[in-house]
Amino acid sequence: MEQQFELIAKTFMGLEPVLAKELARIGAADIKEGRRMVSFKGDKELMYRANFQLHTAIKILKPIHHFKARSADDVYEEIKKIDWTQYLDNDRTFAVDAVVFSEEFRHSKFVSYKVKDAIVDQLREKTGKRPNISVSNPDLRLHIHIAEDDATLCLDSSGESLHRRGYRQDSVEAPLNEVLAAGMILMTGWQGDTDFIDPMCGSGTLLIEAALIARNMAPGLFRKEYAFEKWPDFDAELFDNIYNDDSQEREFSHHIYGYDVDVKAVNTARLNVKAAGLSSDITIAEQDFKDFLQPKEKAIIVTNPPYGERITTSNLMETYRMIGERLKHQFQGNDAWILSYREECFEQIGLKPSIKIPLYNGSLECEFRKYQMFDGKLKEFRSEGGVVKTDEEKRQMAEKHRFRKEREFKQRLTEQIENEDADIRSFTFHRHELGTDFKEKRIPREERGERREERGHHDRFDGKDDRFDRKGDRFDRKGDRFDRKGDGFDRKGSRFDRKSDRFDKRGGKPQYNSSENRGGHERFDRSGRGRKK
C-alpha cells in the first residue's frame, strides 16, 4: 500500500462540513475541519480522486514543509533547505502563490518573491543555471500560507480553481459559483430521489450540479487538466483508471426543471446543459415565477433569487412577496430552499423557515433557509406525524453562529481577498481510519484522445492587507471579502462538441462521446476526453 501523506482541501466558508462528508465517502483518513478548509490524509490515488470527484473543493494542496517564519530571512533559509531538484529542473517553470496573515509580513507578494529567490538561488548553485518563472501556465505551482509565524509550503495539485468544471460555455450577470451551488444542494440532503426545480435558474448552474449529484457523476469529467499531471511522479495509468471508472454512477429516474423570466438566461442555461451532455435530465423553459404552478410529482426547490446587489428587479420586495405567495399556494407538500442576503427580503416571504444556515455568496454573508410547505396548521401537521425540523437540522441551527458570535446578518466584507485563497492553517491531525474500495477499468493510455490544449489561466493570490486577529484564537472577520470578478470567465479552448446532446441509457450508465453520434444517442467515451499524453 502506498504511503499516506498530509493533504488540504480548500472550500468556501460554511461548506466545510459538507466537504468533510465528501472526503469520508472517498476514503480519506484523519479528516479535520478548519476554516475554509478540511485537512486529511491519503495516498496518491486519493489525491487524484479528491481533485476529480469532490463537488465542494476549490483546491487540493499537498503540504511539503512546515516551519516558523519570524522574518524574511527565515522564509528564505527554510525554503532553501528543501531539495528542489526533486521537483524542478532548468527546463521546468514554476510559480508561487501566497496568503499571509502576519504583522511581520504585510504583503503576500513579498513572501512569494522570497520563496522564488530561495528556489532560484539553490538551483543556480547546483546547476549553474536558473529556472524560469511562469505566471500563466507553470509546470509546478507552489502555495505558501503564513499565519503569524506558522508557515506551510504546499504543492498545488489542482491548478486553476476546481469550480471551473469545464461545462460552462456562457454565463449571465453574477453567476452562482459551481462549488457553492453543489454545496447548497448537498446541504439539502437531496440525492435525486425527487424532481428538482430552480424557478430562477439563471445560467443553469444549480440544475447542472444537481444532475451531476443525482447521477453521482464526477465534476471533473469535463475538465481538461490538473496541475499534478505535470509533476515528475505523475502516474498516468492510475489517473486514467480513476477517470474511466464509472462503476459508482447511477440511474436518475426523476427530472430537473429550470425556469427564468429572462430569455437570454434561458438560452445560456440550455447551452451550458447541452455542453454538459445532460439535456435528457434537465428541461429549461422561459417562465416567470409568478406563473409557477403546483408540480405533479414530489419535488424540491433550490433557488438563488436576486438580492438587490449585483442583480436587482424593479421591485425587489414585491418579488420576495410573490415568492412566498407561490410557495404557500403552489408548492404544498414539498420543501423549498432559498439563498438570499437581505433580512428584509426574507421577511417579505412571510413564511417561517425550519432552518437557517449562514453561507457566503461572494463577499456577501447570506443565509440559506429551508421552508417546509404543508397544508393546514402546524399543530395539525405535527399531530399527523409531520416533522418540521430533523435532529440534524436542530444541531445545525444550534451552530448557526459558527461564523462568529453576534453575527451582523447583512455584513458586507470590506477587504478584497479571494475567499478561495484565504485562511489555511496548520493543524494537529487526529486519527481515525477509513478504508477505500474502488473498482477500476483499465484502458491503455495509447487509446486515449488527442493532446490537450494548454491553458493560459493562472490563479494569482493577492494578499494585500491580509490581516489576522489572533486574540483568543479567533479571527477578525472584518474585511474578509473576495473579488468575484471573472466568474463569467471565457472558456475558449475548453468547449466540448456535444452533437445531439442525448444520453444513451443502455446499460443504466450515462455515456458520452464528443466526437461521434451513434444512432441518435450521444455517447461520451471517457477514453477520448483529449487528455495530454
Side-chain angles (χ1 to χ4, degrees):
M1 184 176 178
E2 189 171 343
Q3 184 178 7
Q4 292 193 335
F5 45 80
E6 180 185 355
L7 289 163
I8 292 172
K10 298 172 63 178
T11 190
F12 291 125
M13 178 68 74
L15 297 185
E16 300 92 345
V18 183
L19 177 56
K21 289 180 181 177
E22 282 201 277
L23 284 165
R25 278 196 293 270
I26 67 171
D30 291 354
I31 300 170
K32 186 174 182 180
E33 295 176 27
R35 187 172 183 263
R36 294 181 180 169
M37 56 80 70
V38 179
S39 62
F40 62 104
K41 283 189 176 180
D43 56 14
K44 184 184 295 185
E45 178 182 348
L46 189 75
M47 183 181 70
Y48 291 175
R49 288 190 179 277
N51 277 282
F52 184 65
Q53 295 179 340
L54 295 177
H55 294 266
T56 55
I58 296 170
K59 291 269 189 181
I60 306 298
L61 302 177
K62 180 183 178 181
I64 58 173
H65 191 36
H66 298 282
F67 60 94
K68 290 293 183 180
R70 299 182 178 88
S71 68
D73 289 340
D74 287 346
V75 173
Y76 180 88
E77 294 300 330
E78 290 291 335
I79 299 301
K80 206 172 179 183
K81 289 179 182 178
I82 300 170
D83 179 10
W84 288 103
T85 58
Q86 63 182 315
Y87 304 109
L88 286 167
D89 57 40
N90 292 323
D91 296 324
R92 295 171 61 81
T93 60
F94 75 99
V96 181
D97 301 320
V99 174
V100 179
F101 301 91
S102 170
E103 290 298 320
E104 177 66 27
F105 305 102
R106 299 302 182 93
H107 204 291
S108 61
K109 287 184 179 179
F110 173 74
V111 175
S112 296
Y113 294 148
K114 296 302 292 185
V115 173
K116 291 174 184 176
D117 288 346
I119 296 172
V120 169
D121 290 350
Q122 185 199 97
L123 291 175
R124 185 162 46 197
E125 290 169 5
K126 289 184 175 182
T127 66
K129 296 180 180 179
R130 71 185 306 278
N132 293 319
I133 310 297
S134 173
V135 297
S136 59
N137 192 24
D139 295 312
L140 183 71
R141 192 185 299 274
L142 301 169
H143 176 93
I144 184 168
H145 181 274
I146 299 179
E148 289 193 338
D149 61 355
D150 293 323
T152 302
L153 181 69
C154 304
L155 303 180
D156 180 351
S157 71
S158 303
E160 68 175 356
S161 174
L162 294 176
H163 85 272
R164 291 173 178 164
R165 312 288 202 212
Y167 60 70
R168 182 177 284 178
Q169 306 298 300
D170 200 358
S171 64
V172 295
E173 186 178 359
L176 193 64
N177 182 286
E178 291 88 337
V179 164
L180 177 59
M184 289 165 58
I185 296 164
L186 291 172
M187 279 182 174
T188 71
W190 184 83
Q191 292 288 327
D193 47 344
T194 67
D195 286 353
F196 183 98
I197 302 170
D198 182 359
M200 296 178 164
C201 69
S203 59
T205 305
L206 277 166
L207 308 176
I208 297 171
E209 294 297 323
L212 296 178
I213 290 169
R215 288 195 173 273
N216 201 30
M217 293 169 62
L221 275 172
F222 314 101
R223 190 176 168 107
K224 288 193 171 184
E225 188 175 50
Y226 295 94
F228 61 73
E229 294 181 76
K230 294 183 178 181
W231 291 5
D233 65 345
F234 173 56
D235 189 333
E237 182 180 4
L238 174 61
F239 184 50
D240 287 353
N241 290 337
I242 292 171
Y243 182 88
N244 288 291
D245 179 15
D246 61 355
S247 61
Q248 300 301 312
E249 292 182 8
R250 58 184 175 232
E251 277 289 298
F252 175 48
S253 58
H254 296 278
H255 202 72
I256 296 170
Y257 298 92
Y259 306 99
D260 205 286
V261 69
D262 183 358
V263 65
K264 181 188 175 188
V266 170
N267 292 334
T268 298
R270 286 173 176 166
L271 181 66
N272 293 335
V273 168
K274 185 176 182 180
L278 295 169
S279 294
S280 63
D281 291 324
I282 302 172
T283 298
I284 300 172
E286 182 182 354
Q287 178 181 287
D288 197 324
F289 198 170
K290 68 182 180 181
D291 299 322
F292 180 81
L293 299 176
Q294 181 78 29
K296 296 180 180 179
E297 303 292 335
K298 188 168 181 61
I300 184 175
I301 282 179
V302 182
T303 193
N304 174 41
Y307 309 158
E309 292 294 316
R310 288 183 292 175
I311 298 179
T312 189
T313 64
S314 57
N315 193 329
L316 189 65
M317 296 301 108
E318 181 58 36
T319 297
Y320 279 82
R321 281 193 291 272
M322 176 269 294
I323 290 173
E325 186 272 332
R326 287 288 94 185
L327 293 180
K328 182 177 181 180
H329 298 291
Q330 297 294 334
F331 205 56
Q332 294 177 5
N334 298 302
D335 295 340
W337 291 75
I338 298 174
L339 180 71
S340 192
Y341 166 59
R342 298 177 180 273
E343 180 65 47
E344 55 266 35
C345 292
F346 280 122
E347 290 173 353
Q348 296 303 315
I349 292 176
L351 301 171
K352 185 177 181 179
S354 59
I355 186 169
K356 305 174 185 178
I357 303 175
L359 201 59
Y360 273 95
N361 183 7
S363 62
L364 302 178
E365 188 177 1
C366 300
E367 279 192 352
F368 191 38
R369 296 189 179 185
K370 175 185 176 182
Y371 297 91
Q372 189 171 9
M373 311 309 301
F374 52 85
D375 191 13
K377 296 182 179 180
L378 176 60
K379 186 176 181 179
E380 296 173 353
F381 175 74
R382 283 176 169 162
S383 66
E384 295 173 358
V387 177
V388 176
K389 195 177 297 178
T390 65
D391 292 339
E392 174 64 18
E393 289 171 347
K394 290 177 182 178
R395 185 192 66 78
Q396 291 184 42
M397 283 295 283
E399 297 176 357
K400 68 180 181 178
H401 295 300
R402 63 183 180 274
F403 284 11
R404 64 174 180 272
K405 293 182 179 179
E406 305 301 327
R407 187 173 66 91
E408 294 181 19
F409 179 73
K410 293 194 301 175
Q411 180 70 31
R412 171 183 276 280
L413 307 177
T414 54
E415 287 185 27
Q416 295 186 347
I417 305 172
E418 280 285 344
N419 190 347
E420 64 189 61
D421 298 337
D423 297 351
I424 294 179
R425 305 175 62 190
S426 299
F427 288 83
T428 301
F429 292 94
H430 64 280
R431 297 189 175 278
H432 66 273
E433 297 299 327
L434 294 170
T436 60
D437 182 15
F438 296 111
K439 297 179 181 178
E440 297 177 349
K441 297 189 303 185
R442 293 185 177 274
I443 293 180
R445 185 165 182 79
E446 45 274 353
E447 295 180 11
R448 302 304 294 272
E450 62 201 24
R451 188 177 181 87
R452 289 195 210 173
E453 300 171 9
E454 292 292 331
R455 289 188 183 274
H457 179 78
H458 175 65
D459 296 332
R460 297 282 298 174
F461 296 107
D462 185 356
K464 190 175 184 179
D465 293 329
D466 290 347
R467 301 297 176 82
F468 190 77
D469 184 354
R470 292 298 297 257
K471 295 178 182 177
D473 198 28
R474 292 175 56 193
F475 286 75
D476 182 357
R477 295 296 308 285
K478 299 175 184 177
D480 204 13
R481 178 186 181 190
F482 64 90
D483 184 2
R484 291 291 301 280
K485 292 179 182 178
D487 240 3
F489 49 84
D490 185 355
R491 303 293 302 177
K492 292 179 182 177
S494 63
R495 300 189 179 184
F496 280 46
D497 178 11
R498 295 288 188 180
K499 296 178 182 177
S500 81
D501 188 46
R502 295 169 59 187
F503 268 82
D504 182 358
K505 294 189 177 180
R506 291 173 287 183
K509 294 175 182 177
Q511 298 177 331
Y512 319 77
N513 190 350
S514 60
S515 60
E516 56 183 319
N517 182 9
R518 299 173 182 159
H521 293 278
E522 185 187 42
R523 294 172 55 83
F524 184 97
D525 181 1
R526 291 171 184 261
S527 66
R529 72 180 180 124
R531 292 189 50 245
K532 265 187 185 177
K533 292 183 179 179

